[in-house]
Amino acid sequence: MSLPPEKASELKQLIHQQLSKMDVHGRIREILAETIREELAPDQQHLSTEDLIKALRRRGIIDDVMKELNFVTDSVEQELPSSPKQPICFERQSTLKKSDGTRMADSTTMLSISDPIHMVLIKTDIFGETTLVASYFLEWRSVLGSENGVTSLTVELMGVGTESKVSVGILNIKLEMYPPLNQTLSQEVVNTQLALERQKTAEKERLFLVYAKQWWREYLQIRPSHNSRLVKIFAQDENGINRPVCSYVKPLRAGRLLDTPRQAARFVNVLGYERAPVIGGGGKQEQWCTLLAFLCRNKGDCEDHANLLCSLLLGYGLEAFVCVGTKAKGVPHAWVMTCGTDGTITFWESLTGHRYIHKPTNPDEPPVAEQPKPLYPYRTVGCVFNHQMFLGNCQPSDAVETCVFDLNDESKWKPMSEEAIKSVCAPGATTSLPPFPPLCASTIDASVTSNEIEMQLRLLVSEHRKDLGLTTVWEDQLSYLLSPALASYEFERTTSISAGNEEFQDAIRRAVPDGHTFKGFPIHFVYRNARRAFATCLRSPFCEEIICCRGDQVRLAVRVRVFTYPESACAVWIMFACKYRSVL
């Protein structure tokens, strides 16, 4: 960064005036006169400015002064560099004033950083399926009071969900400060700080619980039927701890990994869907995962998908909320809603990536009036929330198709105090979850993986046809011609825009001779297990007809295209095709 000449001149003048006013030159000369003259020759006892500068630089004084000059921005966010997720992950993002990149925060400043280390333990089987084993929040600040900045800890890891009271193992941890602190704190100071924070946290949680109970009583007094609505103020995380739902959502920026909100919706959509396991009957198990646990295992329930998508949309500057309600047959569900500046309400289904524009129907209109038919699968909505707001639906009906989403109208939506939410959910609040980890770039090589799956599928198809007494002849050119179709399907899933289909159809017409028949079957997966995908394809009668095709001059083709997304999530498109001579 270069200053304009007039600004540089003005800056020099200000510095000169300040130095002259304080007589800095005179003081420096007096202090250094004796020692510098000893270094000069007898005939060079006159001290020039150049002599002084050389002496100051040689003694390291200029370097020390420059280090002490604080060029401080309003807020400098220190982020750990993004790296591939490990089963145990240390992440800390704290806003600190810093004056020099080589200088470390002192022990007192670090003691004020209350974010714990979030460790997640994942089990991966031979088929690549992941299971969440344990999730632990480690209080790391005990190392600030240990000698030499090194300490060892032993922690007991507990299970998750229904097994949150069951021990899964012991973990021995060694913590070391690097670079070492210039001054360590006494263990008594550290323990006192932690005790005060626990006391403060408990008081904040108690006050919020008292407020939430009062808010709920007022909500029920509006209409007794509100008791049956899905108004969810708290939700249990993977450790069975009740947290305000607002703490599961925070603005999340994807850096350069995702370019648009719709691409973010596609990324969330390709993360696997898995309901929390239930032991015995009794309906759905309650479990909302923290973001790190969700990303580490690459799958979760609808609430996990909705929380992540809402966080990403907030990061893109949209006014986004998580909606809690029901879909068909009264099944509880969560999805995302954005409010446009023009009043447009858009629903985002995080499990499919589909978007729906909401136009409420008016139940008071006469039956002859044409009402818009909703295309979305949602039936009722009980509440909406994000990282700052929580609103309960207090309209006469909670049916989504008749709801008006004017969130500023308190006769339709009862808000919670934003100050109360901030006290337990704002960044830095000791009751809130630690800062969200940055998304990691994919470690999957799309072209290599596509080729590997394609070769495996060719082998599986050949073996399957051999068992049926059929020979298999592959046509590489026909396989290659399927690529544009797969790219077009993924583009349409991401943008809702269809493009490139005309060129694909024209190429196929040219590749299939007169008197021959062409059949193709595309299918989409979010995993890379070729054998599992093949078994699924065979369950489709149309795909089985292609794979088991009989006829004259049968030529088979298969094309695989893997599209990678952050966190090593991927969309896998497979297309089986055949062409054969039609015989009457």
Side-chain angles (χ1 to χ4, degrees):
M1 183 181 71
S2 59
L3 286 173
E6 61 273 14
K7 291 291 183 182
S9 176
E10 182 181 350
L11 182 60
K12 288 179 181 178
Q13 186 176 359
L14 286 172
I15 294 173
H16 179 73
Q17 290 176 354
Q18 186 68 17
L19 293 176
S20 300
K21 181 179 178 181
M22 299 172 62
D23 193 24
V24 172
H25 297 94
R27 295 183 186 181
I28 293 175
R29 285 176 182 276
E30 290 173 5
I31 293 171
L32 295 179
E34 294 297 329
T35 58
I36 295 177
R37 283 200 177 94
E38 293 174 2
E39 299 171 7
L40 297 175
D43 58 338
Q44 293 179 334
Q45 291 299 303
H46 176 70
L47 291 178
S48 66
T49 303
E50 186 177 355
D51 293 331
L52 286 172
I53 294 298
K54 286 181 179 178
L56 291 171
R57 184 173 285 114
R58 192 162 51 247
R59 287 163 172 77
I61 296 173
I62 289 181
D63 290 338
D64 291 340
V65 170
M66 292 306 295
K67 287 180 181 179
E68 293 299 320
L69 287 175
N70 292 330
F71 298 98
V72 181
T73 57
D74 290 339
S75 172
V76 179
E77 187 163 304
Q78 291 183 326
E79 294 187 356
L80 289 184
S82 180
S83 58
K85 287 285 181 297
Q86 299 295 328
I88 297 176
C89 175
F90 166 51
E91 48 83 17
R92 178 175 61 82
Q93 296 166 294
S94 303
T95 302
L96 297 174
K97 303 268 187 172
K98 64 179 185 178
S99 58
D100 184 88
T102 62
R103 299 183 63 195
M104 186 176 177
D106 59 25
S107 54
T108 305
T109 303
M110 298 194 73
L111 183 61
S112 67
I113 301 173
S114 59
D115 300 332
I117 298 173
H118 189 185
M119 300 186 296
V120 173
L121 185 62
I122 298 292
K123 179 176 71 175
T124 305
D125 64 18
I126 58 174
F127 302 108
E129 290 295 308
T130 57
T131 305
L132 179 62
V133 178
S135 174
Y136 186 81
F137 292 93
L138 175 69
E139 177 52 70
W140 57 273
R141 286 175 290 177
S142 59
V143 72
L144 298 176
S146 59
E147 290 187 18
N148 303 322
V150 181
T151 187
S152 296
L153 302 171
T154 301
V155 299
E156 182 179 19
L157 299 180
M158 310 300 287
V160 296
T162 55
E163 301 178 6
S164 59
K165 305 299 181 184
V166 180
S167 175
V168 297
I170 301 296
L171 187 65
N172 295 317
I173 302 171
K174 180 181 178 181
L175 297 177
E176 180 176 357
M177 293 300 300
Y178 185 81
L181 294 170
N182 294 328
Q183 180 182 5
T184 59
L185 301 172
S186 70
Q187 200 62 52
E188 184 180 358
V189 170
V190 175
N191 293 338
T192 301
Q193 172 72 12
L194 299 182
L196 288 172
E197 286 182 8
R198 285 193 293 268
Q199 183 180 353
K200 184 179 177 182
T201 298
E203 180 63 13
K204 283 185 175 182
E205 290 176 344
R206 185 190 69 82
L207 291 175
F208 183 78
L209 182 60
V210 169
Y211 170 77
K213 287 180 177 179
Q214 177 62 30
W215 183 94
W216 177 244
R217 282 194 293 269
E218 294 172 358
Y219 182 72
L220 293 181
Q221 289 173 6
I222 298 173
R223 202 173 286 109
S225 61
H226 285 181
N227 193 40
S228 62
R229 296 188 178 183
L230 278 179
V231 180
K232 193 160 194 60
I233 303 173
F234 296 93
Q236 287 187 357
D237 66 8
E238 63 266 21
N239 292 321
I241 298 174
N242 270 324
R243 300 183 183 275
V245 291
C246 295
S247 66
Y248 290 89
V249 174
K250 289 188 182 80
L252 177 62
R253 292 169 58 180
R256 299 187 184 278
L257 302 179
L258 299 167
D259 295 322
T260 66
R262 295 193 188 191
Q263 195 178 14
R266 178 61 174 154
F267 157 59
V268 176
N269 157 223
V270 299
L271 292 171
Y273 170 65
E274 181 182 81
R275 296 182 62 178
V278 180
I279 299 177
K284 179 181 175 182
Q285 171 69 27
E286 170 74 307
Q287 180 180 307
W288 289 28
C289 273
T290 55
L291 182 63
L292 183 62
F294 176 39
L295 292 177
C296 282
R297 66 175 185 153
N298 268 126
K299 57 186 176 181
D301 212 334
C302 61
E303 294 89 357
D304 304 326
H305 286 78
N307 290 335
L308 174 56
L309 179 55
C310 183
S311 298
L312 286 167
L313 296 182
L314 287 168
Y316 280 110
L318 301 180
E319 186 179 13
F321 297 86
V322 174
C323 301
V324 179
T326 62
K327 53 183 182 179
K329 299 181 181 180
V331 177
H333 192 60
W335 66 98
V336 179
M337 173 187 74
T338 53
C339 306
T341 53
D342 59 354
T344 302
I345 300 298
T346 306
F347 294 146
W348 303 63
E349 177 47 59
S350 56
L351 295 180
T352 64
H354 293 160
R355 299 166 65 255
Y356 309 95
I357 302 298
H358 172 65
K359 295 180 179 178
T361 59
N362 188 350
D364 299 327
E365 289 285 337
V368 293
E370 185 178 352
Q371 298 279 9
K373 293 182 179 180
L375 301 175
Y376 43 76
Y378 318 121
R379 294 293 176 265
T380 65
V381 56
C383 64
V384 301
F385 68 88
N386 60 18
H387 62 304
Q388 294 176 329
M389 300 172 67
F390 182 96
L391 303 107
N393 184 2
C394 53
Q395 297 172 67
S397 171
D398 62 351
V400 176
E401 60 183 7
T402 61
C403 275
V404 176
F405 287 89
D406 180 3
L407 303 183
N408 294 318
D409 187 345
E410 294 192 9
S411 66
K412 294 181 172 63
W413 296 91
K414 178 175 174 56
M416 269 194 169
S417 163
E418 291 188 25
E419 286 299 317
I421 294 172
K422 186 178 179 181
S423 68
V424 291
C425 298
T430 51
T431 54
S432 70
L433 290 166
F436 284 175
L439 294 181
C440 295
S442 177
T443 58
I444 299 170
D445 187 317
S447 59
V448 171
T449 307
S450 299
N451 191 59
E452 289 176 351
I453 298 174
E454 191 171 305
M455 291 300 104
Q456 292 172 26
L457 288 175
R458 282 197 177 198
L459 183 62
L460 290 168
V461 170
S462 298
E463 290 177 348
H464 185 75
R465 288 176 61 83
K466 184 178 180 180
D467 292 341
L468 298 175
L470 301 172
T471 58
T472 305
V473 180
W474 296 100
E475 185 172 317
D476 292 339
Q477 176 62 14
L478 184 59
S479 296
Y480 180 72
L481 295 182
L482 304 178
S483 293
L486 301 183
S488 176
Y489 298 149
E490 180 63 19
F491 182 76
E492 186 175 357
R493 284 289 184 97
T494 304
T495 64
S496 302
I497 299 171
S498 179
N501 202 36
E502 300 82 1
E503 294 87 349
F504 166 68
Q505 292 179 359
D506 185 67
I508 294 298
R509 289 191 190 100
R510 292 177 180 276
V512 179
D514 291 340
H516 284 64
T517 300
F518 171 84
K519 292 181 180 179
F521 177 79
I523 190 168
H524 168 255
F525 299 100
V526 295
Y527 51 81
R528 307 187 300 279
N529 188 319
R531 190 172 293 276
R532 179 180 168 191
F534 182 66
T536 303
C537 292
L538 285 179
R539 288 198 288 269
S540 166
F542 194 77
C543 185
E544 186 187 25
E545 182 182 337
I546 294 173
I547 293 173
C548 305
C549 181
R550 298 170 183 265
D552 185 23
Q553 299 181 20
V554 175
R555 298 293 182 267
L556 293 176
V558 62
R559 192 66 170 173
V560 177
R561 181 71 168 86
V562 174
F563 297 88
T564 58
Y565 289 90
E567 300 295 333
S568 296
C570 62
V572 179
W573 283 96
I574 301 173
M575 192 170 190
F576 290 100
C578 68
K579 69 175 182 179
Y580 58 93
R581 184 177 173 185
S582 302
V583 179
L584 296 176

